[in-house]
Amino acid sequence: MMRSLLVTLLLSSTALGFVPVMPIARAPFGVLKADAVVEEEATEAPAAPKFKASFAKGELAGINRKIAKAEAASFSAVAKEIESQIADKSGRNFLSKARRRLSNKAKDLGIDFDASSWGTGAKCVESRRAKQDAYVKAKIEELAAAAEEEKEEEPAEEEAPAEE
């Protein structure tokens, strides 16, 4: 009796004793298929494909080296060269890091560098910019509709005091 209780406690205390059981598919006549896992149906539509950075191995390090080795005389040429390399291949994170590195390097060299306009034509920011433009247009339309409603309500309010 004690031995079976001890075995039960030891088996339930193993790592597998507390693992949640995955739903398994049932074959006809109630026989279980251990290798078939039930897949839940996807209710959401597939998302649009995201931009994927496509740099060759070591190319990002080369870009960072160019920024680090840039001198005051060749800084603008290096910035333009890097921008052309990054425009089609870079992701948003690397673009912002390169922008920050160039800005810091320009500050160290005593050069004026407009980081806000550098790299604005990159593919990785196009979808984000399109979403932002759509949002701004929708807000402008909402404000215009609210202004029209206020204009329609104002004449009705002005006529009410005239009747008294």
Side-chain angles (χ1 to χ4, degrees):
M1 171 85 172
M2 289 298 278
R3 186 177 217 164
S4 63
L5 181 60
L6 182 62
V7 171
T8 307
L9 286 174
L10 288 174
L11 289 177
S12 65
S13 65
T14 62
L16 298 176
F18 298 100
V19 175
V21 179
M22 294 181 61
I24 53 177
R26 293 198 178 267
F29 308 110
V31 178
L32 295 177
K33 291 182 181 178
D35 59 334
V37 177
V38 177
E39 295 182 18
E40 297 180 18
E41 296 180 23
T43 57
E44 298 179 11
K50 292 186 177 183
F51 177 81
K52 183 171 167 108
S54 58
F55 279 105
K57 185 176 181 180
E59 195 171 353
L60 296 178
I63 291 172
N64 290 336
R65 255 185 258 115
K66 285 180 185 177
I67 294 172
K69 291 181 179 180
E71 297 178 358
S74 64
F75 185 78
S76 62
V78 169
K80 286 180 184 177
E81 179 185 348
I82 292 171
E83 184 176 14
S84 65
Q85 287 178 340
I86 288 178
D88 294 335
K89 298 184 206 175
S90 169
R92 195 174 77 216
N93 287 339
F94 186 74
L95 180 71
S96 64
K97 288 177 185 179
R99 182 180 292 147
R100 187 188 69 235
R101 287 181 181 122
L102 282 168
S103 178
N104 289 340
K105 186 67 174 182
K107 191 184 295 183
D108 291 344
L109 296 173
I111 300 171
D112 291 331
F113 177 69
D114 185 19
S116 62
S117 65
W118 185 84
T120 54
K123 283 186 178 180
C124 62
V125 294
E126 286 178 1
S127 62
R128 190 174 193 198
R129 192 178 310 122
K131 287 179 185 178
Q132 180 67 22
D133 290 343
Y135 175 78
V136 169
K137 287 178 184 177
K139 285 296 180 182
I140 290 172
E141 290 174 2
E142 287 177 14
L143 291 173
E148 288 179 15
E149 289 178 8
E150 288 180 11
K151 286 181 182 179
E152 292 174 1
E153 292 175 2
E154 287 178 11
E157 292 175 1
E158 291 176 6
E159 293 174 8
E163 292 176 7
E164 292 180 12

